[in-house]
Amino acid sequence: MSDQERLARVALSRLTEPGDSRFTRLVAEFGGVDFQTALLRDRDAQGMLHDLAVRLGSCDPARELERADRLGIRFIMPGDAEWPRQLDDLVHAPELHQRGGPPIGLWVRGPLRLDQLGAAVAVVGSRSATTYGEQVAGEMGAVLVRHGAPVISGAAFGIDQAAHRGAIAMEGPTVAVLACGADRAYPVAHQALIDHIGRHGAVVSEAPPGCAPTRIRFLARNRLIAALSRGAVVVEAAQRSGALNTASWAERLNRQVLAVPGPVTSAQSQGCHDLVRRGVATLVTNPQEVLEMVSSAGEHLAEQTQQPPTLRDRLTLRHRQVLDAVPVAAGVGTDSVARTAGLGLVEVRSALLHLEKNGLVEQDGVGWRLGLLGRA
C-alpha cells in the first residue's frame, strides 16, 4: 500500500465507530484514497455525509502517525506484511450485521507481529469470575503458550486478566485487544498489565490513539478477538455475558468454539452450558483438549484420562460372577457359592482356586469368604 493510502486510512479511522460495515466496506471496495476524495467532493451534495466530510477535512493523518510513533504505536492495514490474513474472513462472514465490517486498519503497540500469531487461541469469559474460573483461565493461558499457541483476550477483569497472566507467567506471547486507543488502559486498574503486554506482546485497537472506550467499541472488538484466533474458549459466562458475543462471532467465522463446564448451580457457567447444550461449543476440561481442537489433524492429541485397571477389572466375566457370589464375612461352602452364582460346581471350584491365588477370596475353616483384596 502507498503512503497516500496509509494517510487516508488513518484519517478515515477517525470518522466512524469500529466495525461499521456500511463504512468500512466502502473503504475496502474503493480504497481509502478514492473514498476520501469522493467524500470531500460530495460533502455538500450529500447532507448526511457533511459532518463526516468536515471532520475529515480537519484531520491531520501525518501528525497522527507521528504522535503514534512517539507512543510506540504503529498503524497496519491490508496489504502490509504484518497484516493478519485471518481478519479478511470478516469480509465474507455470513449474517454480518452493522458492526461486522472488516477493520480499516489496526493500531498496534508491542513487538509481537500480528502475522505471526499462528494457532492463537482466544480465552474469554466473565468479568466477575469465580476463583474456579480464574484458576482454569490461568492454567489455559500458561499451557497454551508453552505449546506455541499465543493467547488473545480483552484485558478485562476476571477471566481475561487470568488468561493474560497465565501466559505472562510462562513468558509466552499474549495479545490484548482493547475497546479504547492502544495508548490507554481500560480498566485503569490494569495499567501495569497492559503496559507489560505492550512491552512484550501486542496491544491492539481498531480505534485511534486517545479514543475512550464505549459500549459499541466493546462489541466491535469482540469480532477482532474471534477473527484473530483459531478458536475461542469460553471459561465462564453468565447468560448475558459479553463473552457469548465473542463466541457468536467465532461461530460465524468458522472458528472452533469451546466451553469449559462449571457447577450446574453456578450462574457464571450458565452461558457455557447453554453453548454446549445447543451444539455451538465443544466441551473442554483442560488445555490439552483445547490444543487438540485448534491444532492440525494428528497434532497435540489429548491423552484419554482413565483410572488404571484394577485386579477385578482383569478378571474374566465368569470369575467376576463367582466373586460377586462370595460373602464378605462368614464363609460358605462351594455348593452355596455355585447356587448364588448360577454356575456349575466344577466351574465354581476352579474359579475359587484362581481367585484365592490372587488374594481375592480365602477359606476360614467353614467355607469361602472375600479376602483382603476382594473386600477392597
Side-chain angles (χ1 to χ4, degrees):
M1 289 285 183
S2 66
D3 291 341
Q4 190 178 9
E5 177 70 15
R6 185 176 306 279
L7 293 174
R9 285 179 177 261
V10 169
L12 291 169
S13 70
R14 279 285 182 190
L15 299 186
T16 188
E17 291 293 343
D20 189 336
S21 59
R22 299 169 302 177
F23 190 91
T24 58
R25 282 179 177 277
L26 289 173
V27 177
E29 182 178 352
F30 296 106
V33 174
D34 289 346
F35 183 72
Q36 180 188 38
T37 302
L39 186 60
L40 287 170
R41 184 182 63 241
D42 298 334
R43 67 180 182 180
D44 293 327
Q46 300 288 337
M48 69 177 191
L49 299 178
H50 180 78
D51 178 61
L52 292 179
V54 170
R55 290 163 55 198
L56 178 60
S58 63
C59 180
D60 187 343
R63 181 178 296 178
E64 191 93 25
L65 285 175
E66 289 175 4
R67 176 175 177 272
D69 186 60
R70 289 195 300 270
L71 295 170
I73 299 172
R74 61 191 180 275
F75 180 77
I76 64 171
M77 60 185 188
D80 287 347
E82 189 183 347
W83 183 256
R85 293 294 183 85
Q86 55 267 43
L87 288 184
D88 296 341
D89 293 344
L90 288 166
V91 179
H92 311 292
E95 303 175 12
L96 285 173
H97 51 66
Q98 184 176 347
R99 292 295 152 197
I104 294 173
L106 293 175
W107 302 86
V108 185
R109 174 162 61 107
L112 180 62
R113 289 175 56 95
L114 298 189
D115 60 328
Q116 297 177 353
L117 292 181
V121 177
V123 181
V124 296
S126 175
R127 286 176 172 80
S128 54
T130 65
T131 303
Y132 158 78
E134 291 182 348
Q135 180 179 349
V136 172
E139 182 184 2
M140 286 280 181
V143 176
L144 289 173
V145 298
R146 195 169 66 210
H147 287 84
V151 170
I152 302 174
S153 200
F157 288 116
I159 298 302
D160 289 16
Q161 172 187 219
H164 285 307
R165 292 193 181 281
I168 291 170
M170 299 302 297
E171 299 183 352
T174 186
V175 178
V177 184
L178 304 185
C180 57
D183 59 327
R184 302 183 60 161
Y186 187 88
V188 177
H190 286 175
Q191 178 79 59
L193 172 65
I194 294 172
D195 285 347
H196 181 92
I197 296 173
R199 289 192 300 271
H200 302 280
V203 176
V204 178
S205 179
E206 191 175 357
C211 286
T214 65
R215 176 175 173 78
I216 290 176
R217 288 172 181 165
F218 276 108
L219 293 175
R221 71 93 184 257
N222 289 343
R223 83 194 197 288
L224 299 181
I225 293 175
L228 287 170
S229 69
R230 190 172 288 184
V233 185
V234 184
V235 177
E236 280 189 322
Q239 288 287 11
R240 295 180 60 83
S241 171
L244 299 182
N245 180 254
T246 305
S248 177
W249 270 111
E251 181 187 15
R252 287 191 184 103
L253 295 168
N254 295 317
R255 306 300 195 255
Q256 291 286 348
V257 184
L258 312 167
V260 176
V264 296
T265 54
S266 172
Q268 298 305 89
S269 291
Q270 287 180 2
C272 297
H273 298 160
D274 187 59
L275 288 174
V276 175
R277 182 180 62 82
R278 293 188 291 110
V280 174
T282 300
L283 186 148
V284 291
T285 60
N286 56 59
Q288 287 73 26
E289 293 173 354
V290 174
L291 287 166
E292 182 180 43
M293 295 300 298
V294 302
S295 301
S296 301
E299 293 183 359
H300 296 296
L301 297 180
E303 295 182 3
Q304 295 296 321
T305 56
Q306 58 184 16
Q307 294 293 329
T310 64
L311 187 58
R312 180 184 285 265
D313 294 332
R314 290 193 288 268
L315 295 175
T316 66
L317 177 61
R318 290 299 195 194
H319 287 173
R320 286 199 298 270
Q321 192 172 346
V322 172
L323 182 63
D324 290 340
V326 178
V328 176
V332 297
T334 303
D335 56 342
S336 176
V337 175
R339 285 194 301 271
T340 303
L343 298 173
L345 191 60
V346 174
E347 186 177 13
V348 168
R349 184 179 293 112
S350 175
L352 287 171
L353 292 174
H354 176 81
L355 295 172
E356 183 183 28
K357 182 179 179 180
N358 287 278
L360 294 169
V361 300
E362 62 185 16
Q363 299 186 63
D364 63 355
V366 176
W368 297 97
R369 65 180 184 185
L370 292 181
L372 181 62
L373 294 180
R375 291 194 293 274

